[in-house]
Structures are given as structure tokens and as C-alpha cells.
Amino acid sequence: MYIFVINSGSSSIKYQLFRWPVEQPVCSGLLERIGLADATITHKVFTAEQEQVSQRSLPIPDHAAGLREVVRLLTDPEQGVLRDPQEVHVVGHRVVHGGEAFAATTLITPAVKAEIKRLFSLAPLHNPANYLGIEVAESLFPQARQVAVFDTAFHQTLPPKAFRYALPTSLYSEFGIRAYGFHGTSHQYVAAQAATYLGNPTAKIITIHLGNGCSMAAVLGGKSVDTSMGFGPLSGLVMGTRSGDLDPSVIFHLIQERGYEPVQVQTLLNKNSGMLGLTGFSDMRDITKALLAGDPAAELAYDLYAYRIQKYIGAYAAVLNGLDAVVFTAGVGENDARIRALVCRNLEFLGLHLGETRNEECTKELREINQAEARVKILVVPTNEELAIARQCAELLTA
């Protein structure tokens, strides 16, 4: 069966098409800058282990127009991989926030859509785009079963001592204010890959997802027991544009003493802070260039970024009562050897001994970067959220 996976962001759509049970996608793509006249779509078709890439710039006013363009590419007479959109059996959607209602992959029904919509206030930057992706896909693939895979679902195994805040109980019972965690699909995928590699299904693993958004998870026996993101995706690590952990007093000070409006503070912490606030750049590749040019702001940003990760490694090693592996994943985690070296520095007491030569190697496969004799494995595991979503869709519908 064909499974079409959609990862719909506020101004982008990532997608992959699988001819299940083959886990190598038939095609994949990325549509960026939706809503602008110079939107771009990069479409890749995989045949006989070869990759055919096409890229276009065109006006894409909204997600509906974007997905229509994707369908056109899927069925293109020359480069297409489908004769008709009706061949798609399942559409899998990444949905960021499932609250406490969804602890597993779920077939989308009107009631499920209503709950996703109800959760808009908990993920205002993500759930509306995810919901829109569902509505558009329902119109373009009316015969297909629509399935939701929730970023928060993997973290529903957190114990109350990890997910509750020390606030009045009514705020939790009436309004659902608690830590939910995010990037769950990625953490679950790479933790499972690592456990299989270790040959230990009960392994104690710390997963470190470092992209533009960043988070960590403590995983015990394949289950999340703690994670760095909380009520929303703002807390925890320093990120591309998000502040990460912050004393709430700063927010009160900005509003009461500096005249900020709440929406200004929200924009400041979500879009103008993190590495962007520290250096003027949100992309680590630009920050690396600045660092190599001797920019002290870039040096501080790198140190601060790595230091925050180290603190969570220490905390999660305590939570897990030991450690079998640390896993780096996502764009920065997989590709930035400097960050990995800074993170692992001075953690020998935990059993982390980085292999410098191994760390500098750059491949697209799961690999060890620890010294050969090290007790704790340091792994780089490429994440693949789209494949993880496809797997979960197939498991749900063939159970």
C-alpha cells in the first residue's frame, strides 16, 4: 500500500511517499516559504538507489495550493510515481500537540479533529498548521485513511513527578497545565535504533535532538521518563531562535518595568532569542563561520549551547540511575562535530570518552564516536520522522 506522510509546518510542508512495506521512500520533498511569491519546492524521486532532484520557485499562497502542487508532482506524466492520487491508501500526519488525550497513533475522525483544534491554545505555532494539513489532505485524498502521529505521545509515559509543575492543582486538573514534551517521534525512533544497536531493550539512553528546535529525553527500556521541553516547546535547551530555560522573573521584569506587552515577550522568547539573540544568526553553519572568524559572541554561544546540554546529561544520568548510551540526532546533532566535542568534554566521570577521529567522520549511517574501550556508547543516529510516522501508520492499520 502507498503511505503518504505529511509534516505540515506554519510555512512549510515536508513529505515522503512509501510503497509499503518497503522503507525506502519512493519520493520525498520540501515545500518552503508558503504564502510568499518566491516559495520553493524541492522534489526527489528515488529509483534503483539513484536520486532525481528537481527544484522550482513559484508563488504558493497557502497550504492547499502547496499540497495541490505536490500532488501534481506525484502524478506528473514524466517524473511522477503515481498514476492517480486515488492510489494513496493512507496519509500520515505529524501533529505536534496531542495533550493528554492521545498517547498513541490515532485514526483521524471528526472527534479527533475537534480535539486537535481544541488544543490550538497549547501549540499555537504548530497545531493550526497540522490541522490545516489534515483538512487539505482529506480533500485531495478523499479515499485514503487519515492518521495522526503526535509529537507528545511518546512522552505520555512520564511519571507525575516529572510532568507536574509545583502550581496549584486546579491549574492542572482544569486547564491541563503540565509538561508534555515534544520531538517525541524523533526521540522514540532514535532510542529504538540505539537499543537495537546495543542489543539491549532495557537500555538507559539519553537522546539529544539538536535542530533549529532542540530537546532531550531520558529513555528507559524504550519509554520516555523525562524530557527537556515542557508545556510548550520553549523550555530546556538553547535553540535556534528560542531561549530555552529562563527565570520567569525576567518575563515579569520586561512587562512591569520595561513596558513590554505579553505578545512582545512571546515573540522575543520564541523568535528573537536563542542563538539568534546571542549571535545574530539562527543557523549553526553561519555561527560556525563567525566562530572561525574569531567572533567572541559566537564562541560564547557555542559554549552556552553545549553547557546547557551537559547539565541535562548530568540530570538525566541521575534520573536513569546510570547510562548505557548518549545519542546525538537531527541537523546539528548529526553534522556538527564541534558541538558534540564540547558536549562530551569533562564528562569522563560518567563514562563518556569521545573518540576525536571518529567524531570528525561524516557519514549518514548510525555510528559510534566513543573511544573503543569506553563503557558508555556515544552514538550519532540519523533521525527519520517521516519513516517513523509511516511505520506507526502501518502498525495501526494492520494490527
Side-chain angles (χ1 to χ4, degrees), residues 211-270:
N212 190 51
C214 305
S215 67
M216 292 173 60
V219 182
L220 178 61
K223 295 183 177 180
S224 176
V225 295
D226 208 343
T227 190
S228 60
M229 284 181 170
F231 179 68
L234 183 59
S235 61
L237 306 181
V238 177
M239 307 177 220
T241 65
R242 299 177 207 153
S243 64
D245 286 342
L246 182 76
D247 181 350
S249 300
V250 173
I251 298 172
F252 307 145
H253 178 81
L254 290 173
I255 292 173
Q256 295 169 0
E257 303 297 331
R258 300 300 170 193
Y260 278 65
E261 295 293 330
V263 69
Q264 290 178 295
V265 178
Q266 183 182 47
T267 299
L268 171 71
L269 299 183
N270 277 293

Coordinates of all heavy atoms in Angstrom, one line a residue, residues 211-270:
G211 N 18.2 20.5 16.4 CA 17.9 21.1 15.1 C 17.8 22.6 15.4 O 18.5 23.2 16.2
N212 N 16.8 23.2 14.6 CA 16.5 24.6 15.0 C 15.8 24.6 16.3 O 16.0 25.5 17.2 CB 15.6 25.2 13.9 CG 15.5 26.7 14.1 OD1 16.5 27.4 14.3 ND2 14.3 27.2 14.1
G213 N 14.9 23.6 16.5 CA 14.4 23.3 17.9 C 15.2 22.2 18.5 O 15.7 21.3 17.8
C214 N 15.4 22.3 19.8 CA 16.2 21.3 20.5 C 15.6 20.7 21.7 O 14.9 21.5 22.4 CB 17.6 21.9 20.9 SG 18.5 22.8 19.6
S215 N 15.8 19.4 22.0 CA 15.2 18.8 23.2 C 16.0 17.6 23.5 O 16.7 17.0 22.6 CB 13.7 18.6 23.1 OG 13.5 17.6 22.1
M216 N 15.9 17.1 24.7 CA 16.5 15.9 25.2 C 15.5 15.0 25.9 O 14.4 15.5 26.4 CB 17.6 16.2 26.1 CG 18.8 16.9 25.5 SD 20.1 17.5 26.6 CE 20.6 15.9 27.4
A217 N 15.7 13.7 26.0 CA 14.9 12.8 26.7 C 15.7 11.8 27.4 O 16.7 11.3 26.9 CB 13.9 12.2 25.7
A218 N 15.2 11.4 28.5 CA 15.7 10.2 29.3 C 14.8 9.0 28.9 O 13.6 9.1 29.2 CB 15.8 10.5 30.8
V219 N 15.4 8.0 28.4 CA 14.7 6.9 27.9 C 15.1 5.6 28.6 O 16.3 5.2 28.5 CB 14.8 6.7 26.3 CG1 14.0 5.5 25.8 CG2 14.4 8.0 25.6
L220 N 14.2 4.9 29.2 CA 14.5 3.7 30.0 C 13.6 2.6 29.4 O 12.4 2.6 29.5 CB 14.2 3.9 31.5 CG 14.4 2.7 32.4 CD1 15.8 2.3 32.4 CD2 14.0 3.1 33.8
G221 N 14.3 1.6 28.9 CA 13.6 0.4 28.3 C 12.6 0.8 27.2 O 11.6 0.2 27.1
G222 N 13.0 1.8 26.4 CA 12.2 2.3 25.3 C 11.1 3.2 25.7 O 10.3 3.7 24.8
K223 N 11.0 3.7 27.0 CA 10.0 4.6 27.4 C 10.6 5.9 27.9 O 11.6 5.9 28.6 CB 9.1 4.0 28.5 CG 8.3 2.8 28.0 CD 7.4 2.2 29.2 CE 6.6 1.1 28.7 NZ 5.7 0.5 29.7
S224 N 9.9 7.0 27.5 CA 10.4 8.3 28.0 C 10.0 8.5 29.4 O 8.9 8.3 29.8 CB 9.7 9.4 27.1 OG 10.1 10.7 27.6
V225 N 11.0 8.8 30.3 CA 10.8 9.1 31.7 C 11.0 10.5 32.1 O 10.6 11.0 33.2 CB 11.6 8.1 32.6 CG1 11.1 6.7 32.4 CG2 13.1 8.3 32.3
D226 N 11.6 11.3 31.2 CA 11.8 12.7 31.4 C 12.2 13.4 30.1 O 12.8 12.7 29.2 CB 12.8 13.1 32.5 CG 12.5 14.4 33.2 OD1 11.7 15.2 32.7 OD2 13.0 14.6 34.3
T227 N 11.9 14.7 30.0 CA 12.3 15.4 28.7 C 12.4 16.9 29.0 O 11.8 17.4 30.0 CB 11.2 15.1 27.6 OG1 11.7 15.6 26.4 CG2 9.9 15.7 27.9
S228 N 13.1 17.6 28.2 CA 13.5 18.9 28.5 C 12.5 20.0 28.1 O 12.4 21.0 28.7 CB 14.8 19.3 27.8 OG 14.8 19.2 26.4
M229 N 11.7 19.7 27.1 CA 10.6 20.6 26.7 C 9.4 20.4 27.6 O 9.2 19.2 28.1 CB 10.2 20.5 25.3 CG 11.1 21.1 24.3 SD 10.6 20.9 22.6 CE 11.7 22.0 21.7
G230 N 8.6 21.4 27.9 CA 7.5 21.2 28.9 C 6.1 21.5 28.4 O 5.6 20.7 27.5
F231 N 5.5 22.5 28.9 CA 4.1 22.8 28.5 C 4.1 23.2 27.0 O 3.1 22.9 26.3 CB 3.7 24.0 29.4 CG 2.3 24.5 29.1 CD1 1.1 23.7 29.3 CD2 2.1 25.7 28.6 CE1 -0.1 24.1 29.1 CE2 0.8 26.2 28.3 CZ -0.3 25.4 28.5
G232 N 5.1 23.9 26.6 CA 5.3 24.3 25.2 C 6.7 24.0 24.8 O 7.5 23.5 25.6
P233 N 7.0 24.2 23.5 CA 8.4 23.9 23.0 C 9.4 24.9 23.3 O 10.4 25.1 22.5 CB 8.1 23.7 21.5 CG 7.0 24.6 21.2 CD 6.1 24.7 22.4
L234 N 9.3 25.7 24.3 CA 10.2 26.8 24.6 C 11.2 26.5 25.7 O 12.3 27.1 25.7 CB 9.4 28.1 25.0 CG 10.1 29.4 25.3 CD1 10.9 29.8 24.1 CD2 9.1 30.4 25.8
S235 N 10.9 25.6 26.6 CA 11.8 25.3 27.7 C 13.0 24.4 27.4 O 13.0 23.7 26.3 CB 11.0 24.8 28.9 OG 10.4 23.6 28.6
G236 N 13.9 24.3 28.3 CA 15.0 23.4 28.1 C 16.3 23.9 27.5 O 16.8 24.9 28.0
L237 N 16.7 23.4 26.4 CA 18.0 23.7 25.7 C 17.9 25.1 25.0 O 16.8 25.6 24.7 CB 18.4 22.7 24.7 CG 18.4 21.2 25.2 CD1 18.8 20.3 24.1 CD2 19.4 21.1 26.4
V238 N 19.1 25.7 24.8 CA 19.2 26.8 23.9 C 18.9 26.4 22.5 O 19.4 25.3 22.0 CB 20.6 27.5 24.0 CG1 20.7 28.6 23.0 CG2 20.8 27.9 25.4
M239 N 18.1 27.1 21.7 CA 17.7 26.7 20.4 C 18.1 27.8 19.3 O 18.7 28.8 19.7 CB 16.2 26.4 20.3 CG 15.8 25.4 21.4 SD 14.0 25.0 21.4 CE 13.8 24.9 23.2
G240 N 17.7 27.5 18.1 CA 18.0 28.5 17.0 C 17.5 29.9 17.3 O 18.2 30.9 17.3
T241 N 16.2 30.0 17.7 CA 15.6 31.3 18.0 C 14.9 31.3 19.3 O 14.4 32.4 19.7 CB 14.6 31.7 16.9 OG1 13.5 30.8 16.9 CG2 15.2 31.7 15.5
R242 N 14.8 30.2 20.1 CA 14.1 30.1 21.3 C 15.1 30.1 22.5 O 16.2 29.6 22.4 CB 13.3 28.9 21.4 CG 12.2 28.8 20.4 CD 11.4 27.5 20.5 NE 10.9 27.1 19.2 CZ 10.6 25.8 18.8 NH1 10.9 24.8 19.6 NH2 10.1 25.6 17.6
S243 N 14.7 30.7 23.6 CA 15.6 31.0 24.7 C 16.0 29.7 25.5 O 17.1 29.6 26.1 CB 15.0 32.0 25.7 OG 13.8 31.4 26.3
G244 N 15.1 28.7 25.5 CA 15.3 27.6 26.4 C 15.0 28.1 27.8 O 14.3 29.1 28.1
D245 N 15.5 27.3 28.8 CA 15.2 27.6 30.2 C 15.5 29.1 30.6 O 16.5 29.6 30.2 CB 16.0 26.7 31.2 CG 15.5 25.3 31.2 OD1 14.3 25.1 30.8 OD2 16.2 24.4 31.6
L246 N 14.6 29.7 31.3 CA 14.7 31.1 31.7 C 14.0 31.3 33.0 O 12.9 30.7 33.3 CB 14.0 31.9 30.6 CG 14.0 33.4 30.7 CD1 15.3 34.0 30.3 CD2 12.9 34.1 29.9
D247 N 14.6 32.1 33.9 CA 13.9 32.5 35.1 C 12.6 33.3 34.8 O 12.7 34.3 34.1 CB 14.9 33.4 35.9 CG 14.3 33.9 37.3 OD1 13.1 33.7 37.5 OD2 15.1 34.4 38.1
P248 N 11.5 32.9 35.2 CA 10.2 33.6 34.9 C 10.2 35.0 35.4 O 9.5 35.9 34.8 CB 9.1 32.8 35.7 CG 9.7 31.4 35.8 CD 11.2 31.6 36.0
S249 N 11.1 35.4 36.3 CA 11.2 36.8 36.8 C 11.6 37.7 35.7 O 11.2 38.9 35.7 CB 12.2 36.9 37.9 OG 11.8 36.1 39.0
V250 N 12.3 37.2 34.7 CA 12.7 38.0 33.5 C 11.4 38.5 32.8 O 11.3 39.6 32.4 CB 13.6 37.2 32.6 CG1 13.9 38.0 31.3 CG2 14.9 36.9 33.3
I251 N 10.5 37.6 32.7 CA 9.2 38.0 32.0 C 8.5 39.0 32.7 O 8.0 40.0 32.2 CB 8.3 36.7 31.8 CG1 9.1 35.7 30.9 CG2 7.0 37.1 31.2 CD1 8.4 34.3 30.9
F252 N 8.4 38.9 34.1 CA 7.7 39.9 34.9 C 8.4 41.2 34.8 O 7.8 42.3 34.7 CB 7.6 39.5 36.4 CG 7.1 38.1 36.6 CD1 7.5 37.3 37.6 CD2 6.0 37.6 35.8 CE1 7.0 36.0 37.8 CE2 5.5 36.4 36.0 CZ 6.0 35.6 37.0
H253 N 9.7 41.2 34.8 CA 10.5 42.4 34.7 C 10.3 43.2 33.4 O 10.1 44.4 33.4 CB 12.0 42.1 34.9 CG 12.9 43.3 34.8 ND1 13.1 44.2 35.8 CD2 13.6 43.8 33.7 CE1 13.9 45.2 35.4 NE2 14.2 44.9 34.2
L254 N 10.3 42.4 32.3 CA 10.1 43.0 31.0 C 8.7 43.7 30.9 O 8.6 44.7 30.3 CB 10.3 42.0 29.9 CG 11.7 41.4 29.7 CD1 11.7 40.3 28.7 CD2 12.6 42.5 29.2
I255 N 7.7 43.0 31.5 CA 6.3 43.6 31.4 C 6.1 44.7 32.3 O 5.6 45.8 32.0 CB 5.3 42.4 31.6 CG1 5.3 41.4 30.5 CG2 3.9 43.0 31.8 CD1 4.5 40.2 30.7
Q256 N 6.6 44.5 33.6 CA 6.3 45.5 34.6 C 7.2 46.7 34.6 O 6.8 47.8 34.9 CB 6.3 44.8 36.0 CG 5.2 43.8 36.2 CD 5.4 42.9 37.4 OE1 6.3 43.1 38.2 NE2 4.5 42.0 37.6
E257 N 8.5 46.5 34.3 CA 9.5 47.5 34.4 C 9.9 48.1 33.1 O 10.4 49.2 33.0 CB 10.7 47.0 35.1 CG 10.5 46.4 36.5 CD 9.9 47.5 37.5 OE1 10.3 48.7 37.3 OE2 9.1 47.1 38.4
R258 N 9.8 47.3 32.0 CA 10.3 47.8 30.7 C 9.2 48.0 29.7 O 9.4 48.4 28.5 CB 11.3 46.7 30.1 CG 12.5 46.5 31.0 CD 13.3 47.8 31.2 NE 14.3 47.6 32.2 CZ 15.0 48.7 32.8 NH1 14.7 49.9 32.4 NH2 15.9 48.5 33.7
G259 N 7.9 47.8 30.1 CA 6.8 48.2 29.3 C 6.5 47.2 28.1 O 5.7 47.6 27.2
Y260 N 7.0 46.0 28.2 CA 6.7 45.0 27.1 C 5.2 44.6 27.3 O 4.7 44.4 28.4 CB 7.6 43.8 27.2 CG 9.0 44.0 26.6 CD1 9.9 44.9 27.1 CD2 9.4 43.2 25.5 CE1 11.1 45.0 26.6 CE2 10.6 43.3 25.0 CZ 11.5 44.2 25.5 OH 12.7 44.4 24.9
E261 N 4.6 44.3 26.1 CA 3.3 43.7 26.1 C 3.6 42.1 26.1 O 4.6 41.7 25.6 CB 2.5 44.1 24.8 CG 2.1 45.5 24.8 CD 1.1 45.9 25.9 OE1 0.3 45.0 26.3 OE2 1.2 47.1 26.3
P262 N 2.6 41.3 26.6 CA 2.8 39.9 26.6 C 3.2 39.3 25.3 O 4.0 38.4 25.2 CB 1.5 39.4 27.2 CG 1.0 40.5 28.1 CD 1.4 41.7 27.4
V263 N 2.5 39.8 24.2 CA 2.8 39.3 22.9 C 4.2 39.6 22.4 O 4.8 38.8 21.7 CB 1.7 39.8 21.9 CG1 1.9 41.3 21.6 CG2 1.8 39.0 20.6
Q264 N 4.7 40.7 22.9 CA 6.1 41.1 22.6 C 7.1 40.1 23.3 O 8.1 39.7 22.7 CB 6.4 42.5 23.0 CG 5.7 43.6 22.1 CD 6.0 45.0 22.7 OE1 5.6 45.4 23.8 NE2 6.7 45.8 21.9
V265 N 6.8 39.8 24.5 CA 7.6 38.8 25.2 C 7.6 37.5 24.5 O 8.6 36.8 24.4 CB 7.2 38.7 26.7 CG1 8.1 37.7 27.4 CG2 7.3 40.1 27.4
Q266 N 6.4 37.1 24.1 CA 6.3 35.8 23.4 C 7.1 35.8 22.2 O 7.8 34.8 21.9 CB 4.8 35.5 23.1 CG 4.5 34.2 22.5 CD 3.1 34.0 22.1 OE1 2.4 34.9 21.5 NE2 2.5 32.9 22.4
T267 N 7.0 36.8 21.4 CA 7.8 36.9 20.2 C 9.3 36.9 20.5 O 10.1 36.3 19.8 CB 7.4 38.2 19.4 OG1 6.1 38.1 19.0 CG2 8.3 38.3 18.1
L268 N 9.7 37.7 21.5 CA 11.1 37.8 21.9 C 11.7 36.4 22.2 O 12.7 36.0 21.7 CB 11.2 38.7 23.1 CG 12.6 38.7 23.8 CD1 13.6 39.5 22.9 CD2 12.5 39.4 25.2
L269 N 10.9 35.6 23.1 CA 11.5 34.4 23.6 C 11.4 33.3 22.5 O 12.3 32.4 22.5 CB 10.7 33.9 24.8 CG 10.8 34.9 26.0 CD1 10.1 34.3 27.2 CD2 12.3 35.2 26.4
N270 N 10.4 33.3 21.6 CA 10.3 32.3 20.6 C 11.0 32.5 19.3 O 11.5 31.6 18.7 CB 8.8 32.1 20.3 CG 8.1 31.2 21.3 OD1 8.3 30.0 21.4 ND2 7.2 31.8 22.0

